[in-house]
Amino acid sequence: MATLLEVKDLQTHFFTMDGVVRAVDGVSYDLEEGETLGLVGESGCGKSVSALSLMRLIPDPPGRIVNGEVYLDGEDILKIGMEDMRNVRGAKMSMVFQEPMTSLNPVLTIERQLTETLQLHKGMNKAESRREGVNLLSRVGIPDPEQRIKQYPHQFSGGMRQRVMIAMALSCNPRLIIADEPTTALDVTIQAQILELMKSLTTEFGVALIVITHNLGVVARYADRVNIMYAGRIIERGSAREIYSNPRHPYTVGLLRSVPRLDLPRRAKLDPIEGQPPDLVNLPAGCAFRARCRWAIDKCATDRPVLEETGANHWSACWRSADLGPTAVDFLGASELAEPESPAGE
Amino acid sequence: MTTMQETAPQAAAPAQDNDVLLEINNLKMHFPVTSGMLFQRTVAYVKAVDDVSFSVRRGETLGLVGESGCGKTTTGRCILQLYKPTDGQVIFEGQDLTRLGTRQMRAMRREMQVIFQDPYSSLNPRMTAGNIIGEPLIVHGLVHGKAEYRERVADLLQNVGLNPYMADRFPHEFSGGQRQRIGVARALSVSPKFIVADEPVSALDVSIQAQIINLLEELQEQFNLTYLFIAHDLSVVRHISDRVGVMYLGHMVEIAERNEIYRNPVHPYTRALLSAVPIPDPVLDAQRERVLLSGEVPSPLNPPSGCVFHPRCPIADDNCARVIPELREVSSNHWASCLKAEGY
């Protein structure tokens, strides 16, 4: 498969009164055509900002993309003018946001909002775009689309609004859809419906998909590859199967260990990652995760680890990645970690 | 930061004390819907909670799960008398709270506290952490003199894993997880017996969620607390609860011991909910059978006839549209309201 998207050393900083917030601090990855990529991390890890940077939707000031290249189909979209960028958004790449309540305009009908992109990017007239709009609504599973297209967002439920958002994102046959926490605001049963829908539509249309989420469970089933982010950087990357069964970064291990799981026997106690994420204005020297890490060694305080290949198509930014792996996850109740030294944090 | 280092004696089989602390009988909460500009007429009722009964044993954690709009939060608020229930009884230690006057109820509030979902909006931004935690102590006249007050606040902060010197800070100086710890300390301040935890971890990041859940469990043991744990995350609920109740559209559809309900769910809604939970393991998750529910939760303004779940139910038949199923014991201590539940 051909490479669709290539991100090289992307850095997005916010210039605030408190100092420079390095929200995205040197992120590189690529995406194949039709691939589904999961971008996982906690709030403030830079996952949303990195996605908004791709769309060049960073509010400036205070934010700015200070460095990096983003090749979409071989063209660096960080270098093109804003006018050209407008032709890229919607037409080549589009976005589905977290809050289906706030990302639709409440005073415009669904028809107005859905057909706008069609008229702008595809030059359709009113009748054509309307026909296409109805068609799209039925594709995303909205019953009675002829009537529903005339309605306003408040007449739709949360799940239905998210379907409308997906229809809008698909409307101009983009090559890439970025979904920022697409199911976080929805109920569990609706979540499952929306994820199934996104997967089947992206497969059908051959669209690449970046799913941004904080929930490791959401991407397990749907993502081909997963990037784990922490403090503005990708700290582990690999195929979904590798990441979940053979994690090579303590943060990933921590994430997997801290959630209670329905498929495994209940543990007497959860095993959280202690402490808080670091302040992005004042990142510590060395590894950003060191203060919360069970495996930290002296070297971690001084030398910042970079992504290194630890296995086939599996990358981790940790000095001790070789000591981690399947045994580190050890879900089944035993609380003993595979750690030869450094007693568990006091 | 100090971390809680309680040597938790591995939750030795949830205190099998059958002493009932709280009993809810036929609780109904109907919110009127009014129409008209000048003369407000009641045109309909939103039946947020419709005929729900259950009990909570002393020292246990009862989990209440369901999707948004199922009435789980309303149930919690009715128990605390933050809403005046339309009908039904809330019996706390033998006393029917719905019959108490404002003054009597205020005294009762010492016994029952609440932890809210959103650690950002549930703390007054103009009060220091110390004052937020200490206010209930003053309101209920539990401390005498400044020294005792300060000591008590410091103790509470330590109980929830914060440093006493943080008492002078304002909420914005804390992270989400720390704020939730302040919310927990506030609830603990009056030494309650019963705490309603309304989605206490759903606004927090995964790694922080586990910290708060562990804290709640440690405190339960230390202070012999009883929890009503309201959440939509079924994995979290399984972890923390001794028993679990599942609600749908204002009704309790199934309630049983934790292991029983997760191993042998009988209500089709419970089954669908469980199968919809994503599992962080691509191999396992792909093998699971998924019951995808079609459609969405109907409006509680105009709930379906018969069993409220029948329009979305994969096994419903004509009968389900007519007969309202009652909550019945399908096996020992396992209650479900489904006409077609096994053993029915």
Side-chain angles (χ1 to χ4, degrees), chain A residues 9 76-78 86 94 120 137 151 168 190 203 241 246 264 277 298 309 312 341:
Chain A
D9 198 25
D76 187 351
I77 54 172
L78 294 185
R86 215 164 286 154
S94 56
L120 272 175
L137 288 187
Q151 294 182 329
M168 286 166 72
I190 308 296
T203 313
R241 196 178 271 241
N246 183 21
L264 295 174
D298 292 346
E309 197 154 13
E341 55 213 51

Side-chain angles (χ1 to χ4, degrees), chain A residues 42-43 157 187 189 193 220-222 244 259-264 266-270 272-273 275-276 292, chain B residues 10 67-68 175 205-207 210-211 214 218 235 238-239 258 262 278-280 282 284-285 290 293 295-296:
Chain A
E42 295 179 271
S43 36
S157 67
D187 279 316
T189 58
Q193 289 176 1
R221 174 177 270 232
Y222 302 100
Y244 288 91
V259 289
R261 289 180 50 168
L262 275 187
D263 56 321
L264 295 174
R266 179 181 175 275
R267 284 174 291 162
K269 221 160 168 30
L270 292 180
I273 306 174
Q276 316 280 340
R292 305 174 77 186
Chain B
Q10 297 300 315
E67 297 177 274
S68 35
S175 69
D205 272 318
V206 208
S207 71
Q211 295 178 6
N214 280 352
E218 282 157 9
S235 348
R238 181 182 81 154
H239 180 80
R258 169 187 69 220
Y262 282 90
I279 282 176
L284 268 177
D285 201 39
R290 228 171 219 214
L293 285 183
E296 306 194 359

Side-chain angles (χ1 to χ4, degrees), chain A residues 41-44 47 157-160 163 184 186-193 195-196 214-218 220-222 240-242 244-245 251 254-256 258-277 292 331 345-346, chain B residues 1 3 5-6 8 10 66-68 175-178 181 204-211 213-214 217-218 232 234-236 238-241 258-259 262 269 272-274 276-288 290 292-297 312:
Chain A
E42 295 179 271
S43 36
K47 56 193 194 302
S157 67
M160 284 295 163
R163 286 173 193 264
T184 307
L186 305 173
D187 279 316
V188 207
T189 58
I190 308 296
Q191 252 180 32
Q193 289 176 1
L195 287 168
E196 287 291 339
H214 67 274
N215 187 339
L216 276 168
V218 165
R221 174 177 270 232
Y222 302 100
R241 196 178 271 241
E242 274 284 300
Y244 288 91
S245 62
Y251 178 63
L255 279 183
L256 286 167
S258 64
V259 289
R261 289 180 50 168
L262 275 187
D263 56 321
L264 295 174
R266 179 181 175 275
R267 284 174 291 162
K269 221 160 168 30
L270 292 180
D271 184 18
I273 306 174
E274 295 297 345
Q276 316 280 340
R292 305 174 77 186
F331 282 114
E346 239 308 295
Chain B
M1 221 188 82
T3 46
Q5 284 293 342
E6 242 80 59
Q10 297 300 315
E67 297 177 274
S68 35
S175 69
Q178 289 175 321
R181 287 174 192 266
L204 306 174
D205 272 318
V206 208
S207 71
I208 311 293
Q209 276 189 8
Q211 295 178 6
I213 291 169
N214 280 352
E217 288 190 322
E218 282 157 9
H232 67 272
L234 286 114
S235 348
V236 167
R238 181 182 81 154
H239 180 80
I240 200 167
S241 310
R258 169 187 69 220
N259 289 335
Y262 282 90
Y269 179 63
L273 262 187
L274 285 174
V277 176
I279 282 176
D281 184 328
V283 185
L284 268 177
D285 201 39
Q287 293 163 354
R288 281 163 83 220
R290 228 171 219 214
L292 262 192
L293 285 183
S294 57
E296 306 194 359
V297 184
R312 298 177 79 193

Side-chain angles (χ1 to χ4, degrees), chain A residues 178-251:
Chain A
I178 303 172
D180 189 358
E181 305 265 6
T183 61
T184 307
L186 305 173
D187 279 316
V188 207
T189 58
I190 308 296
Q191 252 180 32
Q193 289 176 1
I194 295 290
L195 287 168
E196 287 291 339
L197 175 74
M198 291 195 29
K199 187 65 187 178
S200 69
L201 287 176
T202 46
T203 313
E204 187 186 331
F205 289 84
V207 191
L209 181 66
I210 298 181
V211 184
I212 300 172
T213 177
H214 67 274
N215 187 339
L216 276 168
V218 165
V219 287
R221 174 177 270 232
Y222 302 100
D224 303 311
R225 278 194 292 175
V226 177
N227 287 344
I228 312 271
M229 285 189 74
Y230 189 77
R233 292 163 174 257
I234 293 174
I235 50 99
E236 186 164 9
R237 162 189 16 220
S239 69
R241 196 178 271 241
E242 274 284 300
I243 294 275
Y244 288 91
S245 62
N246 183 21
R248 291 286 174 182
H249 194 284
Y251 178 63

